[in-house]
Amino acid sequence: MVHGVAAHHVVRALIAHTLGIDLPVRGVWELLRRHGWSCQQPARRAVERNEGAVAGWIKETWPSAKQRPRRSGPGSSSRTRLLSR
């Protein structure tokens, strides 16, 4: 099974080989979307997924892992200057 970005190339080659039609990549994406396919949506959840562990991780670990973006300031490696206020 092919997943991700390379999937449209495989579908494009399959269409060209089977039907003899050379579609552009955009045409393949439009055709796949028209038939309900999406690269963003998994077909199903993993069988081994532990819902209790996931809920605990989201409640306990995620808030500390999710940080607000830091403001650029002294010690920044950016070569641009901060705007004067």
Side-chain angles (χ1 to χ4, degrees):
M1 182 63 111
V2 177
H3 298 283
V5 178
H8 65 279
H9 290 294
V10 175
V11 173
R12 182 177 184 219
L14 182 64
I15 291 171
H17 177 74
T18 310
L19 303 175
I21 302 170
D22 188 26
L23 290 175
V25 174
R26 181 171 178 107
V28 173
W29 277 121
E30 289 174 5
L31 182 65
L32 289 172
R33 246 185 265 122
R34 191 179 311 150
H35 290 282
W37 288 81
S38 169
C39 62
Q40 299 295 318
Q41 205 170 21
R44 60 182 173 78
R45 291 203 183 262
V47 175
E48 61 274 357
R49 181 180 167 116
N50 182 341
E51 293 295 335
V54 171
W57 184 87
I58 290 173
K59 186 176 182 180
E60 297 170 16
T61 308
W62 177 243
S64 63
K66 183 176 74 170
Q67 295 179 356
R68 294 186 177 156
R70 296 181 198 159
R71 295 188 68 186
S72 179
S76 173
S77 63
S78 175
R79 292 181 181 217
T80 59
R81 294 182 185 174
L82 292 175
L83 293 175
S84 59
R85 295 179 187 201

